Amino acid sequence: MRILVCIKQVWEPESLFDLQGTELRPRPPLRRKVGSYDELALEEALRLKDRLPRTNLTVLSVGPPPVVDVLRRALGMGADRAVHILAPDQPPPRPATLAAWIAAWAQGQNFDLILTGVMSEDAMQGAVGPMLAAHLGWPPVTSVVSLKVDGHALAVEREMEGGRRQRLALPLPALLTVQSGPNQPRYPTLSNLLRAKKTTPLTVDAAGLAAPPDREKVVALTPPEKRRAGLVLEGSAAQKAERLLAMLRERALL
Amino acid sequence: MSAGAKSRVVVVAEHSQGRLSPVNWELMACAGQMARVLGLEVAAAVLGQGVEPLAGEIAQRTGVKVWAVEVEGMAAFHGEAQRLALAQLLPAWRAQAVVGAHSTSGLDWAPGLAARLEAAYLPGVEGLSAGPEGPRFSRTAHYGKVREELAPTAWPLVLTVQPGTFPAAPPGEAGHGEVEVVRLPAPPCRSQLLEVVDGAGTDAGLGRAKVVVAAGRGVGQAENLELLRRLAGLFSSAALAGSRPVCDLGWLGYGHQVGLTGATVSPSLYIACGISGARQHTVGMQGSGFIVAISNDPQAAIFNLADVCIVEDLTVLIPALLEQASGYSDPASLQGDLPGRPG
């Protein structure tokens, strides 16, 4: 079986940043990682590979050169091959553009299964996966929490509001977006990391891939509106604690 | 922009087990605003089987035209069937915009539909305004820490509305809505919906508690939950909750999960500890009476919907709270915990 996992490189959630026009500028130190849902999609693919011996697992990411770091980590976790679609990160490509680029490359590669996270950890749009499936003419199933492969048949469960689950059956090829669950991503192994260090990902320049013109444009980035008072308590920890307790007592909450 | 006077904004209603979801009235509120900004007419569609009464309910409450789409074989929500059916029907409905919920269902059909229609896609919309060159839609981006304004540059639009952001119009009888039944043969789906299984249920006492103390990944390690338990112990009616990552890590059972795929709570007091404030969590707690957020990330999104913000390490702040609260309210109870007490 040939599996493709699409992963996105994100900044660590706690990284501080500044807004400049429609650009988000991180403050050093720059700490990047694989988006958490994508990492879980990769873990699901690796579990399939553990069970199904003749599985070939390709991992793909789109972005500027530092993206190679997350591809190497994926190789360290056990992926067989890495593909880097080289593209600038400013302005960030729209989901439809990303889907079109990935489809343009993946078409004709004979993948049986494409996995990605239910959404990117930072932008949380959940769009690239289903859009990619639309390009390929495959059925997407989103928010998958369980999957089993039996020959050319897939049995999946997807999670809905309130923990309700849908069970679906579908044939390969298919695209699934993976929701988080009890499975935690494995750590890279030393031997895989050594191999990854010597591996150069296949680089594909996005400029050579077809994509439609943007259908949306980011026209402003601003700090979010404060929806409540947002009173910031100052002082030492003890002073903050004292102030908070006083406020809770004033409101008869304590 | 090219929206003609008779073009429509079509709300795709969510329903399950014969009932409309409350989020539909928020979708209608968003569509109403879009109609005013864009000069469109609001309409709605309900897809499934036996959906005519649901369409009637929407028509009666909102006074708009509603299509009851009877889709052969679609006994429950099935994303692929819904997407294929909508792709077939929307052009005939003169839909310039399609509105769904930013829910697990909406996220299953809307992006693929947008790709198929070559439409602009606007996910998780929280507000809209009229800009100089057309409408602008706002959403939160980058871990919920930034508000992003998007301007569509193509039509039609497919958007998903973030639950809890457009106030639903109060129930009433707008009257004079019209229901049109459309019958559709089974769409050529490749996936097959086998069954829908109910969730394990949440019984961690979240719904009844007056105070909820909630843990996010920022708690750092499972051992620190003990501090949150003791904090909850200060209140007479309190429960411990967690964000999805905390439950995934097994630090708390899924019955404790608050957010999109967990419980929705609205206690008098919600204390968010180490919670980043991603929308998937905050949709489940934003209706709380008084919200206190504690995090050591000064840019955490949770601070934007908190009444009180405390930038501090939890392992320092909570012990300080416990010490002062015990000393104040009932010194004897603290004494009681001291080892070596006679008797």
Side-chain angles (χ1 to χ4, degrees):
Chain A
M1 183 154 78
R2 288 169 63 81
I3 306 179
L4 174 68
V5 181
C6 303
I7 62 175
K8 178 181 177 183
Q9 187 179 53
V10 298
W11 302 336
E12 289 282 356
E14 294 82 18
S15 300
L16 299 178
F17 62 88
D18 297 297
L19 292 177
Q20 297 197 344
T22 54
E23 197 173 325
L24 229 139
R25 295 252 174 94
R27 288 184 208 160
L30 282 188
R31 290 178 302 141
R32 299 182 171 100
K33 62 162 200 162
V34 186
S36 60
Y37 298 105
D38 295 338
E39 198 175 22
L40 292 166
L42 177 58
E43 176 60 31
E44 285 308 317
L46 290 166
R47 282 170 191 244
L48 282 178
K49 186 175 152 71
D50 292 341
R51 291 199 294 272
L52 306 168
R54 291 178 52 214
T55 295
N56 186 281
L57 202 172
T58 302
V59 62
L60 176 149
S61 192
V62 182
V67 161
V68 170
D69 294 343
V70 292
L71 292 173
R72 290 230 161 89
R73 184 177 174 91
L75 291 169
M77 287 167 72
D80 298 298
R81 183 170 77 124
V83 177
H84 174 198
I85 296 185
L86 180 66
D89 60 351
Q90 289 297 334
R94 301 299 307 157
T97 307
L98 292 166
W101 284 340
I102 299 170
W105 178 78
Q107 227 133 25
Q109 297 278 331
N110 293 319
F111 289 113
D112 300 295
L113 181 63
I114 300 182
L115 299 181
T116 189
V118 65
M119 57 183 70
S120 61
E121 189 180 350
D122 54 352
M124 299 179 291
Q125 304 190 94
V128 174
M131 286 180 170
L132 172 57
H135 278 284
L136 298 171
W138 298 2
V141 180
T142 60
S143 199
V144 168
V145 288
S146 152
L147 71 132
K148 291 192 180 77
V149 180
D150 183 5
H152 281 276
L154 268 179
V156 304
E157 286 186 13
R158 68 180 297 268
E159 189 172 314
M160 305 181 77
E161 277 71 14
R164 272 190 314 139
R165 288 181 176 204
Q166 290 187 316
R167 288 206 309 117
L168 295 110
L170 67 163
L172 295 172
L175 183 145
L176 310 177
T177 74
V178 175
Q179 173 61 284
S180 66
N183 292 347
Q184 294 299 312
R186 65 192 64 189
Y187 286 100
T189 64
L190 189 58
S191 60
N192 280 339
L193 278 175
L194 289 173
R195 179 176 62 89
K197 239 181 159 173
K198 292 182 206 141
T199 312
T200 309
L202 170 68
T203 304
V204 180
D205 193 338
L209 300 171
D214 285 351
R215 302 185 189 117
E216 323 80 26
K217 189 174 161 201
V218 177
V219 288
L221 287 184
T222 50
E225 288 162 31
K226 288 229 174 269
R227 301 227 239 136
R228 298 209 181 194
L231 178 70
V232 180
L233 303 190
E234 309 281 358
S236 68
Q239 288 168 326
K240 290 171 186 167
E242 189 181 352
R243 186 84 195 283
L244 176 62
L245 291 172
M247 292 179 78
L248 296 181
R249 286 190 186 107
E250 267 166 37
R251 287 167 178 76
L253 292 165
L254 181 66
Chain B
M1 60 157 275
S2 61
K6 284 183 176 176
S7 295
R8 295 188 175 106
V9 47
V10 178
V11 168
V12 180
E14 293 217 341
H15 60 97
S16 77
Q17 293 158 322
R19 287 185 179 190
L20 292 169
S21 312
V23 75
N24 291 317
W25 313 119
E26 300 174 17
L27 306 186
M28 292 302 293
C30 173
Q33 285 191 31
M34 287 176 68
R36 282 191 290 281
V37 170
L38 301 167
L40 300 172
E41 178 185 312
V42 180
V46 197
L47 289 81
Q49 284 185 345
V51 292
E52 199 178 339
L54 300 181
E57 202 179 322
I58 298 174
Q60 197 174 33
R61 176 156 162 176
T62 63
V64 306
K65 161 141 197 168
V66 187
W67 284 281
V69 185
E70 297 287 336
V71 185
E72 188 189 339
M74 193 173 158
F77 172 80
H78 179 198
E80 190 181 14
Q82 178 130 323
R83 179 171 49 85
L84 293 171
L86 286 170
Q88 185 181 337
L89 294 165
L90 286 166
W93 291 348
R94 299 194 308 273
Q96 277 288 342
V98 184
V99 177
H102 199 66
S103 60
T104 61
S105 307
L107 283 167
D108 203 47
W109 61 263
L113 180 72
R116 169 76 187 276
L117 298 177
E118 300 187 353
Y121 183 57
L122 307 152
V125 168
E126 300 187 349
L128 72 115
S129 60
E133 288 133 30
R136 291 175 163 205
F137 296 85
S138 64
R139 62 183 300 274
T140 56
H142 195 67
Y143 299 104
K145 295 177 174 184
V146 174
R147 182 168 171 272
E148 178 178 83
E149 278 188 66
L150 288 169
T153 53
W155 296 81
L157 318 179
V158 174
L159 57 140
T160 59
V161 171
Q162 190 70 61
T165 51
F166 284 86
E173 301 261 324
H176 308 308
E178 179 204 346
V179 173
E180 183 183 331
V181 180
V182 179
R183 289 181 201 285
L184 217 60
C189 292
R190 294 184 58 197
S191 64
Q192 188 191 354
L193 178 64
L194 302 175
E195 64 171 335
V196 183
V197 189
D198 275 340
T202 54
D203 209 10
L206 292 180
R208 296 183 299 275
K210 293 198 179 76
V211 176
V212 171
V213 177
R217 199 153 25 182
V219 162
Q221 48 188 343
E223 290 69 41
N224 290 340
L225 281 178
E226 190 49 36
L227 285 173
L228 274 66
R229 274 198 191 94
R230 290 175 58 196
L231 178 59
L234 293 179
F235 305 92
S236 56
S237 163
L240 197 59
S243 65
R244 184 172 183 113
V246 163
C247 298
D248 286 337
L249 286 163
W251 295 354
L252 285 173
Y254 283 102
H256 292 264
Q257 189 194 333
V258 165
L260 182 65
T261 50
T264 299
V265 297
S266 47
S268 310
L269 171 63
Y270 193 92
I271 306 181
C273 303
I275 283 180
S276 66
R279 296 293 290 150
Q280 293 99 280
H281 179 75
T282 60
V283 294
M285 49 66 76
Q286 60 196 0
S288 301
F290 194 71
I291 299 174
V292 176
I294 309 167
S295 168
N296 54 12
D297 174 4
Q299 290 181 326
I302 190 75
F303 288 138
N304 296 313
L305 71 149
D307 295 286
V308 177
C309 310
I310 304 178
V311 182
E312 190 68 69
D313 188 329
L314 288 164
T315 60
V316 176
L317 187 83
I318 297 180
L321 281 169
L322 293 170
E323 190 187 322
Q324 294 192 27
S326 313
Y328 186 101
S329 63
D330 185 7
S333 72
L334 185 69
Q335 297 280 320
D337 286 332
L338 289 176
R341 188 169 61 107

